[in-house]
Amino acid sequence: MNTKEIHEKTLLKKITKKDNLFHGDFTLDPYQNCSFGCYYCDSSFDPIIYIKQNALSVLQDEIKNKKNKRIIIGSVHDPYQPIEQTTKLTRNILSFLLTKNQPIHILTKSPLILRDIDLLTQFHEVLITISIPFIDTEISSLFEPMVANPFDRMKIISTLKAHHIKAGIAAIPIIPYISDSDEALTTLFNTAKSHNTEYILCKYLQLTGDQKYRMFQLIKTQFPQVFQQFKTQYFLTINPLTPYQINLTNKIQNIAQHYHIPLQIK
């Protein structure tokens, strides 16, 4: 994966509509694009990772008058993708936000976040959401080929909780006919419960543009038995059809109630 340093004029992006899923006021992405290569994500197939070289200096200026506003770090592109091991850009941003006592919510799928546990334990208000859309390791390896396996990501939750850091899971996206069965969802919730997750955020797959083409090709190749059903759900829209959405919502609510796991951040 190639990298390129860039300079940005702005870093913080204001969330204009109420964020019922991640509960943020602003978003911040230290990097543009992502090297994890997840097929369900629309930020993983650009060959260049852009490093926002001046992110810290821009943030130092933009943070004024943002006190008590929660910043979501990694809203689009993972802040702990492999390049972070050498640049430490995310760590530097966290160090600065800590001096401002800024509320933060980090979204990632990488165990590298545990490197910064010394900083995270010092925040007055911090949330960590780990992306784990699949519990089946074979399915995960198809859709998330460059990411730690689901059980290693579950261990991140346990470690964070052991350090009294509020942490949960984003089971996003749930893919029709692939990861939406009663068995798959029950196993995911059961495993999450055993790792002390505080919440599980769920959302069905949305498909647009080239992302839709890539997913169609992958499903057709690897799961031909469900391809026509899958294609029907997304043929004319970015969302699965309404009856599917209703059925999935009811299924998830029943399983979550059984395991006493909230489906939202409280």
Side-chain angles (χ1 to χ4, degrees):
M1 187 69 67
N2 296 321
T3 62
K4 182 178 179 179
E5 294 182 355
I6 58 173
H7 285 72
E8 296 282 76
K9 293 182 178 179
T10 62
L11 191 66
L12 292 177
K13 295 183 179 180
K14 184 176 178 58
I15 298 174
T16 56
K17 294 182 180 180
K18 185 177 181 181
D19 180 6
N20 293 318
L21 193 61
F22 298 114
H23 294 200
D25 300 295
F26 290 86
T27 65
L28 182 163
D29 285 287
Y31 305 98
Q32 182 177 321
N33 299 329
C34 182
S35 59
F36 279 139
C38 302
Y39 274 85
Y40 51 74
C41 180
D42 59 4
S43 72
S44 298
F45 288 86
D46 191 303
I48 300 176
I49 304 300
Y50 295 96
I51 304 166
K52 299 179 181 179
Q53 179 70 15
N54 65 331
L56 188 56
S57 61
V58 172
L59 180 60
Q60 289 170 344
D61 183 60
E62 290 185 327
I63 203 66
K64 298 172 183 176
N65 303 317
K66 304 294 190 302
K67 187 177 181 180
N68 297 323
K69 300 296 183 181
R70 181 178 287 158
I71 298 174
I72 298 176
I73 302 174
S75 64
V76 181
H77 315 288
D78 202 301
Y80 284 100
Q81 56 184 292
I83 190 64
E84 168 62 19
Q85 295 184 59
T86 54
T87 67
K88 298 183 179 179
L89 183 55
T90 298
R91 182 175 175 85
N92 291 336
I93 287 171
L94 288 178
S95 295
F96 169 69
L97 292 175
L98 181 59
T99 67
K100 299 297 181 179
N101 199 28
Q102 199 75 29
I104 61 169
H105 183 180
I106 301 175
L107 312 181
T108 185
K109 56 187 65 175
S110 172
L112 182 58
I113 191 174
L114 297 179
R115 177 202 65 186
D116 295 338
I117 206 161
D118 60 320
L119 298 176
L120 298 174
T121 54
Q122 297 182 63
F123 276 86
H124 175 68
E125 185 179 335
V126 58
L127 290 170
I128 310 293
T129 298
I130 304 300
S131 172
I132 311 178
F134 319 103
I135 200 63
D136 186 298
T137 55
E138 291 187 8
I139 291 177
S140 175
S141 67
L142 286 173
F143 290 93
E144 312 170 301
M146 303 297 291
V147 186
N149 77 62
F151 294 97
D152 285 341
R153 279 178 272 169
M154 285 286 181
K155 292 176 184 176
I156 302 173
I157 300 291
S158 298
T159 302
L160 292 171
K161 289 293 294 173
H163 285 80
H164 309 290
I165 297 172
K166 188 169 185 177
I169 290 169
I172 301 173
I174 294 173
I175 301 179
Y177 314 114
I178 305 298
S179 59
D180 61 348
S181 69
D182 289 346
E183 180 182 3
L185 291 172
T186 297
T187 302
L188 176 64
F189 273 76
N190 183 43
T191 308
K193 183 74 173 182
S194 68
H195 285 76
N196 300 317
T197 191
E198 293 200 32
Y199 55 85
I200 299 182
L201 308 178
C202 300
K203 191 175 182 180
Y204 49 76
L205 175 70
Q206 294 180 303
L207 290 178
T208 59
D210 291 341
Q211 176 195 14
K212 177 181 286 191
Y213 173 77
R214 289 192 297 268
M215 282 293 292
F216 274 18
Q217 290 299 111
L218 182 61
I219 300 295
K220 186 176 183 179
T221 302
Q222 299 293 333
F223 304 93
Q225 69 278 13
V226 301
F227 175 67
Q228 287 303 324
Q229 292 172 281
F230 182 86
K231 185 177 180 180
T232 298
Q233 293 293 336
Y234 292 99
F235 188 65
L236 297 174
T237 178
I238 67 172
N239 300 314
L241 301 175
T242 300
Y244 175 88
Q245 294 182 36
I246 294 172
N247 180 65
L248 180 64
T249 298
N250 290 337
K251 183 189 300 186
I252 290 171
Q253 287 177 343
N254 289 335
I255 296 173
Q257 185 175 13
H258 175 78
Y259 285 100
H260 304 287
I261 299 179
L263 293 172
Q264 59 185 357
I265 298 169
K266 296 184 177 179

